[in-house]
Amino acid sequence: MTGGGEEQGRRLFGVSLTDRPVWQQFLICSSGFFFGYLVNGICEEYVYNRLQFSYGWYFTFVQGFVYLGLIRLQGFTMKQMVNPWRTYVRLSAVLMGSNGLTKGSLAFLNYPAQIMFKSTKVLPVMIMGAFIPGLRRKYPFHEYVSAVMLVIGLILFTLADAQTSPNFSMIGVTMVSAALVMDAFLGNLQEAIFKMNPDTTQMEMLFCSTVVGLPFLAVPMVLTGELTTAWSACSQHLYVYAVLVFEAMATFVGQVSVLSLIALFGAATTAMVTTARKAVTLLLSYLIFTKPMTEQHVSGLLLITMGIVLRLLPEDKEKKNLAERKQAKMVAQLGEDKRRGGGVEEEKSPLV
């Protein structure tokens, strides 16, 4: 990894992460992600459930143009690209498909039910990571246990809401399931691009994914007639665009932060963070929209908390041990190279 690439890849809205401890990097990126997507969740529930506007493909299309404007304000230009455009074709199709299906499913599922399905993403992401070229990841047993606890906790939480919000359709289940499959590919594909070319920045990935992905949205919008319907409905209620722009701006912060998490910590750890965010979003949904909370809700939250603690507590220790092993291996290799080179009787340790 080149110095410039590392510096670029480890900055978040001008804040350098390079020289910070691992826990600070994680905290900064997670905070940006939580802020962006908590606002996103509240806005989505407001638009779909309170305003009764359910145009997932169109809303994703509008969000894409807001992204491009914000990326331009960040100073990114195509001259800064380090990957060819073809790198982002598959990624963009998956990204836009996931976003559109996720938003569109809210027309057929209540918000908690959608969250329940999406919360299982961490498991397929971990499984898929074992097969993506350039990753081939293996995870310790406790990480799978942690993921299962998170998923069960969220399922318990959302099932407790099923009786009070019984909006449940197989069309919505099909849409959110397809989005789940795409999500399993998405995070791992993003991580693979960062690994194969460490000079890739978050802004490049988001810019190229959006530019390449926007045309993919035209097909479902035209085939379903959503383009004309959504345009007509939103034109009569222009304040909806204000909510969408505000949501897109907040989501932009979350999206750049989540790309930073993927670059620094990998797709599986990021999926754990996104799952935890879903739990907080549900909790805020209950507080803001005044829904009753039962013992089953509390049990779900306890399992979620236990899963998060189990996943995060060993992280620093494992990373420290891994870093020490890598350092020892590097020192040993350096000494071996010097001995093979000859002409040097004694060499001090490079750490002295």
Side-chain angles (χ1 to χ4, degrees), residues 84-117:
W85 282 99
R86 64 176 180 273
T87 303
Y88 297 100
V89 173
R90 183 171 52 175
L91 176 66
S92 302
V94 172
L95 175 63
M96 293 301 174
S98 173
N99 288 343
L101 287 169
T102 299
K103 291 180 182 294
S105 67
L106 286 172
F108 305 96
L109 292 175
N110 63 69
Y111 191 72
Q114 186 223 58
I115 291 291
M116 180 184 70
F117 280 94

Side-chain angles (χ1 to χ4, degrees), residues 119-120 147-158 299-300 303-304:
S119 68
T120 63
V148 171
M149 292 176 71
L150 277 169
V151 170
I152 293 176
L154 269 168
I155 289 175
L156 283 176
F157 194 98
T158 50
S299 299
L303 273 175
I304 291 165

Side-chain angles (χ1 to χ4, degrees), residues 128-158:
M128 198 69 67
F131 301 98
I132 295 291
L135 294 181
R136 307 293 184 184
R137 286 191 173 275
K138 295 181 180 179
Y139 301 96
F141 178 73
H142 79 273
E143 293 193 15
Y144 286 103
V145 175
S146 173
V148 171
M149 292 176 71
L150 277 169
V151 170
I152 293 176
L154 269 168
I155 289 175
L156 283 176
F157 194 98
T158 50

Side-chain angles (χ1 to χ4, degrees), residues 148-183:
V148 171
M149 292 176 71
L150 277 169
V151 170
I152 293 176
L154 269 168
I155 289 175
L156 283 176
F157 194 98
T158 50
L159 284 178
D161 191 58
Q163 294 181 349
T164 57
S165 304
N167 182 21
F168 197 87
S169 166
M170 286 308 300
I171 297 177
V173 172
T174 302
M175 292 176 70
V176 77
S177 298
L180 185 64
V181 174
M182 292 184 179
D183 282 343

Side-chain angles (χ1 to χ4, degrees), residues 45-98:
E45 186 164 10
Y46 176 73
V47 170
Y48 282 90
N49 293 345
R50 294 300 173 92
L51 301 183
Q52 299 297 314
F53 281 85
S54 53
Y55 307 111
W57 300 110
Y58 183 76
F59 289 168
T60 304
F61 191 69
V62 173
Q63 183 184 66
F65 282 100
V66 177
Y67 277 10
L68 293 180
L70 293 173
I71 292 170
R72 184 69 185 89
L73 290 176
Q74 291 292 314
F76 178 83
T77 63
M78 287 188 289
K79 294 180 180 179
Q80 300 173 21
M81 289 177 56
V82 297
N83 293 305
W85 282 99
R86 64 176 180 273
T87 303
Y88 297 100
V89 173
R90 183 171 52 175
L91 176 66
S92 302
V94 172
L95 175 63
M96 293 301 174
S98 173

